[in-house]
Amino acid sequence: QVQLVESGGGLVQAGGSLRLSCATSGRTNSIYAMGWFRQAPGKEREFVARIRWSDGGSYYANSVKDRFTISRDNADNTLYLQMNSLKPEDTAVYYCAAEMYGRESYDYWGQGTQVTVSS
């Protein structure tokens, strides 16, 4: 089992920045990759970014590329999402998720943190 707890959401004006954190605990040595997803009201959950836990290899959704940066701190098993140049369309509940070795899906999810960007 892996437990994930997001934090860092809030209200920010367009053009501003926020940094989300996702604290992990439990079987963290079995994590292969982690991702950030988001879900806006009335919309389906969408992929934002992913990072491979071992070497930091990452990729992003086109909508956030060059504005968001995913990173991880292996020492304290924390995942981050630095969000810059925020837009109103970035407003959503943001979730972190963990993919374990040997799996091809995200099996563990956090409870989510709200990000609201005002125009």
Side-chain angles (χ1 to χ4, degrees), residues 53-109:
W53 211 244
S54 58
D55 62 5
S58 60
Y59 64 90
Y60 300 86
N62 287 335
S63 59
V64 306
K65 201 175 295 182
D66 299 326
R67 297 190 299 123
F68 291 10
T69 302
I70 189 171
S71 63
R72 88 274 187 251
D73 185 331
N74 292 78
D76 64 4
N77 295 316
T78 302
L79 177 73
Y80 299 99
L81 185 68
Q82 178 68 42
M83 306 185 294
N84 299 328
S85 302
L86 283 161
K87 304 175 181 179
E89 52 263 44
D90 294 319
T91 294
V93 177
Y94 283 71
Y95 300 89
C96 61
E99 176 186 336
M100 313 304 281
Y101 275 98
R103 304 281 294 172
E104 295 184 354
S105 61
Y106 292 95
D107 288 333
Y108 298 99
W109 294 81

Side-chain angles (χ1 to χ4, degrees), residues 2-61:
V2 173
Q3 293 78 43
L4 307 175
V5 179
E6 301 98 336
S7 61
L11 173 64
V12 64
Q13 288 189 330
S17 299
L18 280 175
R19 188 176 81 154
L20 305 183
S21 300
C22 174
T24 70
S25 60
R27 291 176 50 217
T28 57
N29 60 348
S30 296
I31 294 174
Y32 174 72
M34 292 194 70
W36 286 100
F37 294 78
R38 66 186 182 186
Q39 187 166 21
K43 295 187 177 182
E44 293 189 355
R45 186 172 59 197
E46 66 173 358
F47 167 79
V48 174
R50 169 185 168 93
I51 189 167
R52 194 164 46 241
W53 211 244
S54 58
D55 62 5
S58 60
Y59 64 90
Y60 300 86

